[in-house]
Amino acid sequence: MKKSIFLAAGLLFSISTQAQLLDMIKSTVKDKTGVDLNTPVKTKGTTTTSTTTTSSNISSANLGNLTSSQISSGLKEALNIGVTDGVKKLAVTDGFLKNEAVKILMPEKLRKIDTTLRSIGMGSLADEGVKLLNRAAEDAVTEAAPIFTKAITSMTITDAKNILLGSDNAATSYLQGKTQSQLFTAFQPKVKASLGKVGADTVWKNLISKYNTFTGQSVTTDLNEYVTTETINGVFKMVADKESGIRNTPAMRTTSILQKVFGAQDGK
């Protein structure tokens, strides 16, 4: 019996001594390294979360190397290039007509005219009608430049930062929101004049008249509104393509400010 008591006491003493030694080791490690062995080790899930947070801050870190003025200047320059280049390419003969991305087709509700005219051997008249719609757009598109310039100039620093880290067409979308109604108001009288200047209004009256006579129907449409809308859409398409190119193709960053600003957004 006494032997058992002594064995139990020895065992308890051993456990107690080990616990004290372990506490001493933990205390020494914490003093020397700052690591608290009593704190549970982070799980893999926690580590992943930390990595994700670090990754999400990359864009902010990159932009931290740019001044607000640089960001604003870079975005404005990109838009100016997009507008200038887009308008220049569209405001020439075949600028709309030979560019499938922006070519103005026959208005949807008049496309049955095209089919009917071709079925009776008058396809050339339909082709002429479409060509002159595009000629009117090519003539009118120069009206866009001063309106775009005003909108670009008024861009704020906050606008610029949000746009830089936005989608591939964020700057174009900003411009569209700022100028859509102004462009329509400015374009309508110009398009109307252009339709008359290139003879589109006369051709289309003849085209619709022949269709109505042949079918016994009475088809009409507002060509001025249609061409105005399609001209504006064409301009924004060209600007968006240029913006996407500058964002994604370093070779298209032809100035130092474009290289600096859009080089920063490459890591977003």
Side-chain angles (χ1 to χ4, degrees):
M1 180 68 177
K2 288 183 179 181
K3 185 177 181 180
S4 298
I5 293 174
F6 282 127
L7 285 173
L11 182 60
L12 289 172
F13 176 78
S14 175
I15 292 173
S16 175
T17 301
Q18 289 177 17
Q20 291 176 3
L21 286 173
L22 183 58
D23 287 340
M24 290 175 63
I25 291 170
K26 288 180 178 180
S27 178
T28 302
V29 170
K30 186 173 182 180
D31 289 340
K32 297 294 185 182
T33 68
V35 177
D36 189 350
L37 296 179
N38 289 317
T39 301
V41 177
K42 290 183 179 180
T43 63
K44 290 184 179 180
T46 304
T47 302
T48 301
T49 302
S50 175
T51 302
T52 302
T53 301
T54 302
S55 176
S56 69
N57 289 329
I58 289 176
S59 297
S60 298
N62 287 343
L63 291 189
N65 297 323
L66 299 173
T67 66
S68 296
S69 178
Q70 286 174 326
I71 294 173
S72 179
S73 296
L75 263 297
K76 288 178 180 180
E77 183 158 330
L79 279 175
N80 274 316
I81 289 174
V83 168
T84 302
D85 188 61
V87 170
K88 182 179 179 181
K89 288 180 178 178
L90 294 175
V92 295
T93 301
D94 292 335
F96 273 88
L97 186 64
K98 295 294 179 69
N99 184 339
E100 291 300 322
V102 298
K103 179 181 178 180
I104 300 176
L105 304 176
M106 191 173 287
E108 187 172 354
K109 70 178 183 178
L110 295 183
R111 286 176 194 169
K112 56 186 177 181
I113 292 179
D114 181 272
T115 303
T116 301
L117 290 175
R118 293 184 189 284
S119 71
I120 59 175
M122 299 182 66
S124 60
L125 182 58
D127 290 337
E128 182 68 8
V130 169
K131 183 181 81 172
L132 291 179
L133 293 184
N134 285 273
R135 290 288 181 264
E138 292 157 7
D139 185 59
V141 73
T142 52
E143 293 294 309
I147 297 172
F148 280 142
T149 298
K150 182 179 179 181
I152 293 169
T153 302
S154 66
M155 181 188 294
T156 68
I157 296 297
T158 301
D159 288 333
K161 287 182 177 180
N162 291 335
I163 290 168
L164 183 59
L165 294 178
S167 62
D168 279 359
N169 65 343
T172 305
S173 295
Y174 163 83
L175 199 59
Q176 192 165 7
K178 291 287 185 180
T179 64
Q180 184 85 31
S181 61
Q182 296 175 60
L183 285 171
F184 193 89
T185 300
F187 265 38
Q188 263 202 314
K190 178 64 176 177
V191 167
K192 184 177 182 179
S194 296
L195 287 169
K197 179 180 176 180
V198 301
D201 51 356
T202 301
V203 169
W204 272 87
K205 284 178 182 177
N206 182 33
L207 189 152
I208 292 175
S209 175
K210 288 184 181 298
Y211 174 82
N212 289 342
T213 299
F214 181 78
T215 61
Q217 298 182 24
S218 181
V219 174
T220 59
T221 190
D222 187 343
L223 286 180
N224 187 17
E225 180 176 346
Y226 174 70
V227 174
T228 297
T229 300
E230 290 301 296
T231 302
I232 293 171
N233 290 342
V235 173
F236 283 125
K237 169 65 177 171
M238 297 294 283
V239 175
D241 286 349
K242 194 70 174 182
E243 178 188 356
S244 179
I246 290 173
R247 284 182 182 273
N248 298 301
T249 309
M252 292 183 67
R253 301 166 190 167
T254 54
T255 66
S256 59
I257 190 64
L258 290 180
Q259 291 163 4
K260 188 175 185 67
V261 171
F262 287 94
Q265 65 93 57
D266 286 342
K268 72 180 181 181

